Amino acid sequence: PSRAGRSLERRRDVPLPRVAEQSADYSVGAAPEGQPFAFASSPQWPSRGELASLRCRMAAAIGLVDAGRHAPGIRQLRSTIGALARRHDWARARDGALKLGEALLRRGQPRGAQAVLDEAREYGNRSGEQASLIDVTTMYGHAWIDLGRLEEAEISTSSALGAARAANEHTRAASASCALARCLFWRGHYGDAEIALEQPRGLPLPPQLTLAITRLAARIAVGRGDLTAAMAHVTDAL
């Protein structure tokens, strides 16, 4: 054979290189930021242990958000909430959506938070637990405040406060009254804000909520020109 033919034969004996390629990710896709989740037309019934795995995944995502790793935590929350909703685990999907809405509010994305809260409301309706709708309405009020829509915020927070008191949910009532007081503060109604922030004595509240109430009380006192009270609240917060 010719020199070209012998060269070709030698090439055939050498294995061809293969391009290294990562396997495609076919896991549940995350919705674009600020976009609501789409409900599946038919549920995907979970296999054995799948719901427990998804719940652990959601807990890990919440841990990332709480640790300040918002970007990966939010991505993981979105995908997990969608997977839980497709499997009709409405209660867990609702809890995840509430946490996601809170994270988006902290990141200054009130419109995105409201889109997520709309889904949380739907999940709450489907789960049959009405008390969680108070949380949705309260957070919606915070989003309206961040958007500068103070009239809508006052309507939303007042509605949440009334519903919480009617249901005898004192922790949710305290959270809603804090949101209402924040709205009134930004409207310049410092006296009304101080009244709205007053809590019944002797009822235990979560430490994070207690801190939020104390910090807001200090701001309201500054607005009223009572610097002595403001410093007292700051000392309590510290």
Side-chain angles (χ1 to χ4, degrees):
S2 65
R3 182 180 299 176
R6 287 195 300 271
S7 177
L8 182 58
E9 288 178 358
R10 283 197 300 271
R11 288 197 193 113
R12 288 173 179 166
D13 295 335
V14 178
L16 293 175
R18 300 182 64 181
V19 177
E21 181 179 355
Q22 294 181 346
S23 58
D25 182 9
Y26 294 106
S27 59
V28 179
E33 194 155 329
Q35 296 299 318
F37 307 107
F39 289 104
S41 56
S42 59
Q44 297 178 5
W45 300 116
S47 58
R48 184 188 297 268
E50 189 176 14
L51 284 180
S53 176
L54 287 171
R55 290 167 184 172
C56 289
R57 180 178 169 83
M58 188 171 74
I62 291 173
L64 289 172
V65 171
D66 289 341
R69 299 183 60 192
H70 293 100
I74 286 174
R75 283 197 301 269
Q76 187 165 318
L77 260 179
R78 285 185 181 279
S79 63
T80 308
I81 293 166
L84 289 168
R86 278 187 285 276
R87 288 153 181 82
H88 287 191
D89 190 350
W90 304 120
R92 299 287 181 171
R94 174 206 64 218
D95 293 344
L98 282 170
K99 188 65 181 182
L100 178 56
E102 180 184 341
L104 292 175
L105 282 177
R106 288 180 179 176
R107 285 176 64 85
Q109 300 174 31
R111 288 292 186 192
Q114 286 183 330
V116 172
L117 290 171
D118 286 338
E119 297 300 322
R121 180 182 288 111
E122 181 64 25
Y123 298 149
N125 287 329
R126 293 182 180 230
S127 70
E129 202 224 331
Q130 297 301 308
S132 63
L133 300 180
I134 300 172
D135 300 329
V136 174
T137 308
T138 300
M139 291 178 64
Y140 223 96
H142 281 296
W144 282 131
I145 295 170
D146 292 347
L147 289 167
R149 303 277 292 275
L150 299 181
E151 289 186 8
E152 290 90 337
E154 187 170 350
I155 292 170
S156 184
T157 53
S158 298
S159 174
L161 179 57
R165 286 175 175 171
N168 200 27
E169 293 274 355
H170 78 272
T171 300
R172 287 185 165 100
S175 179
S177 67
C178 185
L180 175 59
R182 180 176 174 237
C183 172
L184 293 170
F185 169 80
W186 284 111
R187 299 194 77 173
H189 302 163
Y190 304 122
D192 293 338
E194 188 175 44
I195 293 171
L197 201 60
E198 291 179 354
Q199 302 298 323
R201 302 295 181 182
L203 294 178
L205 295 174
Q208 186 176 3
L209 179 56
T210 300
L211 179 59
I213 290 171
T214 307
R215 292 172 61 185
L216 181 56
R219 294 189 179 100
I220 293 170
V222 171
R224 293 178 60 247
D226 190 347
L227 300 185
T228 302
M231 289 301 298
H233 289 307
V234 169
T235 302
D236 289 342
L238 290 173

